[in-house]
Amino acid sequence: MHLPYQRGSLRDLPDTPEAYDAVLADVAEQALARITPDGSLEHPAAVLDVGDTSLGVTSLLALAWQHGRDPRLPPAVRRSLAFHLRERVFREDNPGYPNLRIRDSGLPYARYVLEPGAHPHGDWPSTVWALLQAVDVLDTADGLLDDEPRLHLLELAVGYWGWLTEATFFNPQEAANQAIGCVVAGLMLARHLPPAQGESVRLRTMRLYAEEIRARRIRDRGALLPPEHGGAYDNNYGPISLSFLAQAHRISGEEVFAEDGDALARYLDARLTSGGFDVGGPRYSEQHCGFEAVLGLRHFGRRIGADLGRYRGDSRWARHARRPDGGLDGHFAFMLVWQIQDTPGWHRTPSTAPARHQLRAGSVSVAFDDRMTPSLIEAGGTYHLPAVVHRQHGFGPVTDGFLLCRPFGAVRVRDVSTGELTAKLVTKPVVDRDHVLRHVRSLYVTDGTRLWTTVAVERLEGTPYLLAGLPYAADDGERVRRTAQATDVASAGTLRLTHPPTQDAQHFDARAEVTQEQAAFALAADPRGFGNPDEGWRRLLASTALEAGPAPGAPEDLHVFAVRHGGTPGAPFTPSFEAGPHGLTVRTEAFTTLIGDAAGDAHGEPELALEAGFRSGRPPGS
């Protein structure tokens, strides 16, 4: 089965002016064929997220008229705007809405669902989206609107802003993408107001960003990130937040948006694989957005010099929101408007600067979590997640059912590159089940097509093995498909692929036609769509797992595990190991490396030397 949401890389979509003109022409034809006698541009099947959709299509028609001056468009813009002003503006409180600070304010808002009392929780973000659509119409409707409808639209926008910031609690869903979107709306609205009123709105907007968003950031993998539905990052909403930060920076020039966007972009660059696959998040584990991410990925990719466009988006939403039948939906149309206005293209060269939480070269990548344990390994077009044993998640040595990967002290990292080889050494103190302190040294080396992992630890009791990953997905053209195969993985010791013996929600068998997100939601505390799938996934008892036995020929006082991902299946893999006064020398078919003894460094820092080729005799760097 193919994964439903992660498809082609967003940078591969044509983004020339001619391509965008073709998109707008298609939007115009769909809208002109759809518009109802009363002026509605909503998709007939739209029920959720409906409060901003007609106005969103109106903004696209206004932009299309700017680009092509099609004489059919001005009447459609005026009729559809009149429809929104007449039929989609609500001033009576929505029954059951719990987040009001002022009852019966009379201020206008947009509804997530038109029926009174039906899902009122979505009214706050729907009003943010409606406000953004409104200011886009104000920005692009020169020559289209007379003074009276323009004034009514501006008054409506001011009313939306008042409802969002005065009549309700700010950001009631604790969703950064919605909150930053509201900040963007305030900044864009301020430009249409008289100077004194506009400056008041702008100052209020900047205070909201500082106090309600920036002050609540969450640290993950060394970065401070805007919180998304209770977590630091979400595959769907994180890139959308990045797009809102890009627009805030573009229209205001405020450096704080650039700084925060750079931090989020570097974080995203580190967690994304080379192929653009990612998994994890507090709201959706592996759902990816489409056109909503383009502006942020493109803007900040240029700023930090990284190929963020490799992000695999949902190509069904490649240009604009659409319904299951393929028809146009105006939801989030403002993002298409902004990306068309953002004329510079993609930065397409990968960043080569070492990043603590990422090892990446060519088609190989390892993303590390906060504990510097791999959270995702990519090699040979296959993606491996951390496996699970006895409720413990990760990559690392296992002895007597106990996984040695959770640090009990400072984690140290050393990055080295030479020629075509790139390496990262991670050393961490851990304690075993008997509270014995052990030092686990994990070396990751790649030549851009293969990944060698060597893990050394003081000799363990029993029959230990290395938990070496859960094969989960593989590239299949532009799509990603589920897999349970690991044919391109080799081990110096024994290698077995095990599956949980029990078939239930707490055991994940990679052979089943179920996604990680579906399995995680089955264990989440809340209903699908509102729970935390990452939290549910952590409740797994066991999963499919690659288990690598100890490598032969290791020094007597060590257990060494050696695994190779990628390369030709069945190719020989017989690394050798030698202990010496400078540390552990590891020789493979492609490199020789010295993993130094940290105790020999004055500051306890790990030492690492690396040379290409199989070198006999002295270790590298000696």
Side-chain angles (χ1 to χ4, degrees):
M1 59 179 289
H2 283 111
L3 299 181
Y5 300 101
Q6 301 198 39
R7 297 171 183 245
S9 297
L10 291 182
R11 64 169 180 233
D12 295 339
L13 294 168
D15 61 350
T16 62
E18 294 77 15
Y20 281 132
D21 283 345
V23 172
L24 289 174
D26 176 62
V27 166
E29 294 301 328
Q30 287 193 55
L32 291 171
R34 174 189 298 170
I35 192 167
T36 62
D38 62 354
S40 173
L41 289 169
E42 294 165 359
H43 190 284
V47 175
L48 307 179
D49 278 316
V50 72
D52 70 302
T53 59
S54 182
L55 191 58
V57 180
T58 302
S59 73
L60 291 174
L61 293 183
L63 184 63
W65 183 78
Q66 273 193 348
H67 281 230
R69 301 290 167 169
D70 185 333
R72 299 175 299 168
L73 298 183
V77 168
R78 296 175 191 128
R79 284 172 57 199
S80 59
L81 176 59
F83 166 80
H84 183 85
L85 293 172
R86 184 180 66 249
E87 302 291 343
R88 293 296 177 259
V89 178
F90 297 87
R91 294 180 181 272
E92 295 182 356
D93 295 350
N94 200 348
Y97 188 66
N99 296 312
L100 292 175
R101 300 174 62 193
I102 303 173
R103 293 284 182 189
D104 302 317
S105 68
L107 290 169
Y109 66 95
R111 284 186 177 172
Y112 176 69
V113 176
L114 298 179
E115 181 185 352
H119 301 292
H121 62 271
D123 290 354
W124 200 87
S126 288
T127 304
V128 174
W129 314 148
L131 175 54
L132 287 166
Q133 315 282 28
V135 292
D136 268 354
V137 173
L138 290 171
D139 280 351
T140 58
D142 285 341
L144 287 174
L145 298 180
D146 295 332
D147 290 344
E148 185 175 358
R150 176 184 284 274
L151 179 60
H152 288 164
L153 181 59
L154 181 57
E155 290 175 343
L156 174 64
V158 172
Y160 280 157
W161 173 253
W163 188 85
L164 289 166
T165 60
E166 298 171 16
T168 70
F169 289 99
F170 186 80
N171 191 21
Q173 294 186 23
E174 297 183 357
N177 74 96
Q178 301 171 10
I180 304 173
C182 187
V183 165
V184 173
L187 293 171
M188 296 183 71
L189 172 63
R191 302 185 303 176
H192 291 278
L193 300 174
Q197 186 182 7
E199 181 63 8
S200 175
V201 170
R202 191 191 70 80
L203 290 175
R204 169 74 168 146
T205 300
M206 296 305 296
R207 282 198 304 272
L208 285 170
Y209 183 74
E211 297 170 6
E212 299 292 338
I213 302 172
R214 203 163 196 260
R216 300 174 185 267
R217 289 177 297 172
I218 298 175
R219 185 176 296 278
D220 185 40
R221 307 185 193 190
L224 283 172
L225 306 172
E228 196 59 67
H229 290 283
Y233 179 82
D234 182 276
N235 288 327
N236 183 55
Y237 293 122
I240 294 175
S241 286
L242 193 65
S243 287
F244 281 129
L245 287 169
Q247 180 67 358
H249 182 233
R250 289 178 66 239
I251 63 175
S252 73
E254 293 284 352
E255 191 62 23
V256 66
F257 300 121
E259 293 174 1
D260 293 353
D262 287 351
L264 177 54
R266 290 191 180 98
Y267 170 89
L268 190 150
D269 184 43
R271 69 175 292 144
L272 273 184
T273 58
S274 295
F277 176 82
D278 193 13
V279 66
R283 182 72 182 272
Y284 297 116
S285 287
E286 53 185 328
Q287 294 189 30
H288 272 41
C289 50
F291 75 101
E292 313 100 310
V294 168
L295 176 66
L297 297 171
R298 204 164 61 188
H299 180 83
F300 285 105
R302 295 192 302 263
R303 279 187 55 89
I304 69 171
D307 178 25
L308 298 184
R310 69 184 188 278
Y311 174 96
R312 285 185 185 266
D314 190 337
S315 57
R316 294 169 299 184
W317 279 40
R319 298 302 193 183
H320 49 69
R322 54 191 291 178
R323 306 302 301 177
D325 66 359
L328 168 70
D329 188 313
H331 183 51
F332 257 64
F334 47 82
M335 284 294 190
L336 177 57
V337 172
W338 301 342
Q339 67 172 271
I340 290 174
Q341 295 169 341
D342 177 58
T343 53
W346 291 99
H347 179 95
R348 296 178 180 271
T349 305
S351 172
T352 57
R356 178 178 174 89
H357 294 91
Q358 173 68 261
L359 173 70
R360 183 171 61 242
S363 60
V364 173
S365 53
V366 185
F368 296 86
D369 62 18
D370 250 348
R371 307 175 304 179
M372 287 306 297
T373 297
S375 62
L376 190 57
I377 287 179
E378 170 196 25
T382 300
Y383 303 96
H384 296 259
L385 303 180
V388 185
V389 57
H390 297 306
R391 302 178 186 267
Q392 303 161 99
H393 298 235
F395 289 77
V398 177
T399 176
D400 190 27
F402 192 84
L403 174 61
L404 299 174
C405 76
R406 293 171 295 282
F408 190 73
V411 179
R412 300 173 188 260
V413 178
R414 187 71 175 266
D415 290 281
V416 171
S417 62
T418 176
E420 296 182 351
L421 296 174
T422 305
K424 185 183 293 286
L425 174 63
V426 177
T427 62
K428 62 175 76 171
V430 302
V431 291
D432 62 18
R433 194 184 298 276
D434 297 323
H435 289 210
V436 176
L437 185 66
R438 299 181 179 276
H439 290 83
V440 177
R441 292 176 287 172
S442 302
L443 174 66
Y444 307 89
V445 181
T446 180
D447 62 356
T449 59
R450 295 166 291 180
L451 172 71
W452 293 267
T453 302
T454 305
V455 179
V457 63
E458 294 91 345
R459 197 157 190 86
L460 302 167
E461 299 294 330
T463 55
Y465 62 89
L466 180 74
L467 196 63
L470 156 62
Y472 176 70
D475 291 334
D476 185 11
E478 288 192 346
R479 299 294 302 277
V480 181
R481 59 177 171 79
R482 283 279 288 103
T483 187
Q485 302 299 317
T487 56
D488 60 350
V489 180
S491 172
T494 59
L495 182 66
R496 55 187 180 270
L497 181 64
T498 65
H499 303 284
T502 305
Q503 302 295 318
D504 61 24
Q506 292 183 304
H507 297 79
F508 185 80
D509 191 326
R511 297 170 297 183
E513 290 197 355
V514 61
T515 67
Q516 183 267 356
E517 181 178 285
Q518 291 169 333
F521 264 120
L523 296 172
D526 298 312
R528 178 168 178 79
F530 298 100
N532 183 341
D534 276 3
E535 204 172 72
W537 186 252
R538 286 192 289 270
R539 295 190 174 100
L540 275 185
L541 299 180
S543 73
T544 292
L546 277 170
E547 300 176 357
E556 291 184 358
D557 60 337
L558 294 177
H559 266 123
V560 178
F561 307 89
V563 174
R564 185 187 63 204
H565 290 79
T568 304
F573 180 51
T574 56
S576 65
F577 315 95
E578 180 183 343
H582 301 287
L584 178 67
T585 299
V586 180
R587 296 182 176 91
T588 73
E589 73 278 18
F591 64 86
T592 301
T593 184
L594 172 67
I595 304 174
D597 183 357
D601 179 83
H603 303 285
E605 292 296 329
E607 297 183 52
L608 178 64
L610 177 69
E611 289 185 5
F614 186 97
R615 173 175 174 165
S616 61
R618 293 182 302 166
S622 63

